[in-house]
Amino acid sequence: MKTINRSAWLGAGLAAMPALALADGAPTLVDASTISAGDTAWMLTATALVLFMTIPGLALFYGGMVRRKNVLSTLMQSFAICALITVLWTVVGYSLAFTPGNPFIGGFDRVLLDGLVYLKDDAKLTTHPLAGTIPESVFMMFQMTFAIITPALITGAFAERMKFSAMLVFMTVWSLAVYVPVAHWVWAPGGWMADHGVLDFAGGTVVHINAGVAGLVAALVLGKRVGYGREAMAPHNLVLTLIGASMLWVGWFGFNAGSAVAADGRAGMAMMITQIATGAAALAWMFAEWIAKGKPSVLGIASGAVAGLVAITPAAGFVDAKGALAIGLISGVVCYWGATGLKHMLGYDDSLDAFGVHGVGGIVGALLTGVFAVKAIGGVEASLSAQALGVAITMAYCAVVTFVILKLVDAVIGLRVDEEKEREGLDLVLHGERVE
């Protein structure tokens, strides 16, 4: 039987599954008595927390950072993506990501969720081999929330200049062509990255590197905002941004602790590790900015907290408190440089620092997982070379496919609003509404 590295990610869920089901990654019809009420209750809560991260958390975080004339369009992007990915994940995304296929893509066993059942009278239901103590419906929903937030993160890079129609088309194709395959590589039984020892507890590679790199490519393809570098583009409402960052921090416990897929000690450990790394990163960014600019800003400490959340995500189920502190401190400083020094040095307009925080933070976290992982906690030996392989391949694949998708969308319907509409503001020209 093939060894599945993903078993280290899960814990209790795998123990309840038949060996054959785990080997081929196929969901299985089981007796309802095998379901853990405690695990199910926790995963229902975690799923709600992760959805809360996008709406309203990320929507407010990004919405406060744009100019007043673009706040509604920014909020609309996160909300519309939530609806769009819900449908895509139901129709085919979940099936391609988490049912048996080959090392690179899943199959079609769950198209339109065919075969995912709950039979009350027969006291049976389906479970997934990665989450054997909870209903498959809950596992499907939990994974859906990850699929929702990933493209929503990308919007921060091209904020204030992409057509809404182009955004919808791009996100549809990107989610199926980039997010779904990478999720299968890293998380599905038999995925090629999982079999090569790439560790990603809750999405450092699948979510944050993917989103960050896609955002960078989008920023480069669309070009800079009109007036960038010459006109003031200060955030219109940092109160919204801080509220959004706070919601992200709280919701992230569902993201990381929920990825234990059980109400157990590993979930508790992941929650603690997440809090430690986030606090360390927020302070690291704050002090780095204080030293560099003479004042600590609200936007800075909020961005630092998000950087820590991003960086600890791949490591949350593998490191101890010392590792969490180190990852938090390093990511806070490096992401501060990524959002300021790197962006200015290379001259691209990553509007809300999607790459500077999520791309850079995801890379840092994925690599440092290979440095600080503790076998006694995660149950596996970490390999820096395996982590570097996962980072490099994900970045390359995401960059190339994202570029191709953007160019195709641009050729067919155009990506960007014209200069006059951009100056007027996307709220009014795209949605016919504005904040008074």
Side-chain angles (χ1 to χ4, degrees):
M1 183 186 298
K2 184 185 294 183
T3 299
I4 299 174
N5 290 315
R6 186 67 166 159
S7 62
W9 174 70
L10 283 161
L14 296 179
M17 293 308 299
L20 181 60
L22 179 57
D24 65 15
T28 309
L29 188 68
V30 301
D31 290 331
S33 61
T34 66
I35 299 301
S36 165
D39 291 350
T40 302
W42 163 234
M43 292 308 299
L44 288 167
T45 303
T47 299
L49 284 169
V50 182
L51 183 61
F52 184 72
M53 290 170 63
T54 304
I55 52 171
L58 184 68
L60 292 174
F61 181 68
Y62 278 172
M65 284 195 279
V66 296
R67 288 168 289 180
R68 189 181 186 88
K69 62 184 178 181
N70 295 315
V71 60
L72 293 177
S73 65
T74 301
L75 297 172
M76 178 69 163
Q77 287 176 341
S78 290
F79 204 90
I81 285 170
C82 182
L84 174 67
I85 303 304
T86 295
V87 174
L88 289 176
W89 195 249
T90 299
V91 173
V92 71
Y94 171 68
S95 187
L96 290 175
F98 286 103
T99 64
N102 58 56
F104 303 101
I105 196 67
F108 296 97
D109 292 348
R110 285 293 187 264
V111 169
L112 289 171
L113 303 184
D114 183 48
L116 190 162
V117 298
Y118 167 70
L119 306 173
K120 183 178 185 299
D121 291 341
D122 294 332
K124 291 184 180 295
L125 74 170
T126 50
T127 61
H128 194 279
L130 296 179
T133 62
I134 66 173
E136 187 185 2
S137 58
V138 179
F139 176 75
M140 177 269 184
M141 276 290 300
F142 182 65
Q143 292 298 335
M144 178 197 288
T145 60
F146 283 64
I148 286 170
I149 197 170
T150 306
L153 291 170
I154 301 171
T155 64
F158 57 70
E160 303 191 299
R161 58 199 189 276
M162 184 183 274
K163 293 180 180 178
F164 184 68
S165 57
M167 186 278 296
L168 290 174
V169 174
F170 168 69
M171 293 306 180
T172 298
V173 181
W174 187 90
S175 294
L176 296 177
V178 179
Y179 180 83
V180 164
V182 176
H184 185 79
W185 299 352
V186 177
W187 285 339
W192 78 266
M193 281 194 186
D195 284 350
H196 280 77
V198 177
L199 301 179
D200 186 357
F201 190 72
T205 303
V206 179
V207 175
H208 298 292
I209 294 178
N210 250 347
V213 171
L216 176 62
V217 174
L220 293 171
V221 171
L222 268 78
K224 300 174 184 177
R225 287 168 289 178
V226 173
Y228 180 74
R230 302 186 307 276
E231 301 174 9
M233 296 185 177
H236 91 284
N237 191 333
L238 286 177
V239 173
L240 294 182
T241 295
L242 189 62
I243 291 171
S246 302
M247 291 175 173
L248 286 170
W249 190 332
V250 174
W252 222 286
F253 294 127
F255 207 74
N256 285 1
S259 290
V261 197
D264 62 7
R266 198 164 194 207
M269 190 74 173
M271 174 177 274
M272 181 189 76
I273 293 304
T274 300
Q275 181 71 13
I276 292 169
T278 306
L283 292 176
W285 184 305
M286 182 189 76
F287 283 114
E289 183 182 45
W290 204 338
I291 292 169
K293 297 185 177 181
K295 294 179 181 179
S297 71
V298 170
L299 180 58
I301 196 169
S303 299
V306 174
L309 291 164
V310 169
I312 200 59
T313 291
F318 301 109
V319 303
D320 59 14
K322 294 184 289 295
L325 279 171
I327 291 173
L329 292 171
I330 293 169
S331 64
V333 174
V334 175
C335 288
Y336 171 70
W337 169 78
T340 55
L342 179 65
K343 182 167 70 172
H344 295 151
M345 181 172 61
L346 299 181
Y348 56 84
D349 181 12
D350 176 3
S351 306
L352 310 181
D353 296 317
F355 178 73
V357 174
H358 295 277
V360 173
I363 293 167
V364 169
L367 294 176
L368 292 182
T369 299
V371 175
F372 293 108
V374 178
K375 184 177 181 181
I377 294 173
V380 291
E381 292 282 0
S383 166
L384 181 57
S385 61
Q387 296 302 105
L389 173 69
V391 168
I393 296 298
T394 300
M395 291 181 67
Y397 178 79
C398 180
V400 171
V401 179
T402 300
F403 179 80
V404 171
I405 297 169
L406 286 167
K407 285 296 186 181
L408 289 174
V409 174
D410 194 25
V412 175
I413 63 174
L415 282 173
R416 185 168 177 165
V417 299
D418 61 39
E419 181 175 343
E420 181 180 347
K421 291 180 178 178
E422 187 176 333
R423 287 196 177 278
E424 187 174 355
L426 304 190
D427 290 0
L428 198 58
V429 301
L430 294 183
H431 305 291
E433 301 165 300
R434 63 184 175 189
V435 176
E436 298 293 345

